[in-house]
Amino acid sequence: MSIERTLTQLQVNPATPERAREIGQLGYMQWLGSLPAHACYLTEAACAYMSATPFRATDPAVAEFCTLLKASMDAPLTPLDLSLPKPRRRGGARERRLSL
């Protein structure tokens, strides 16, 4: 999966800052899981950061993604504060239709 696809998926209009944080964290985990086993993390993270930076100001989830990338490059051996979203109803199909 490429960084372009991850960025496209992150460019949503989250209802709250907490939801933007959840989406950004999920995007980071998705991007990390898509890296090839032999890839240099710092190189890949720098490329992803440069690709995502233009969208930081307009998309809160992308801003969270950039924050995670930057933190991981600044202190590579420090654990990141990542968590899966808490399960809850978010409106289902009706809410997805309204978001388009």
Side-chain angles (χ1 to χ4, degrees):
M1 183 173 298
S2 67
I3 184 63
E4 290 81 17
R5 183 167 181 191
T6 299
L7 288 175
T8 300
Q9 292 174 339
L10 290 174
Q11 292 173 339
V12 296
N13 189 12
T16 64
E18 293 81 23
R19 184 64 181 150
R21 182 175 165 89
E22 288 176 351
I23 294 169
Q25 288 180 357
L26 287 172
Y28 176 80
M29 289 185 266
Q30 174 181 301
W31 169 81
L32 186 61
S34 71
L35 292 179
H38 63 279
C40 172
Y41 178 80
L42 290 177
T43 303
E44 294 292 332
C47 289
Y49 185 79
M50 289 187 305
S51 296
T53 299
F55 306 104
R56 251 184 121 150
T58 57
D59 298 302
V62 175
E64 176 65 23
F65 178 72
C66 288
T67 301
L68 291 168
L69 286 171
K70 185 82 169 118
S72 71
M73 289 186 291
D74 290 345
L77 299 179
T78 305
L80 296 173
D81 182 26
L82 296 174
S83 62
L84 292 173
K86 293 179 181 133
R88 66 175 187 261
R89 291 191 53 86
R90 293 189 175 91
R94 180 179 183 271
E95 199 59 36
R96 281 192 300 277
R97 284 191 298 271
L98 291 174
S99 71
L100 298 176

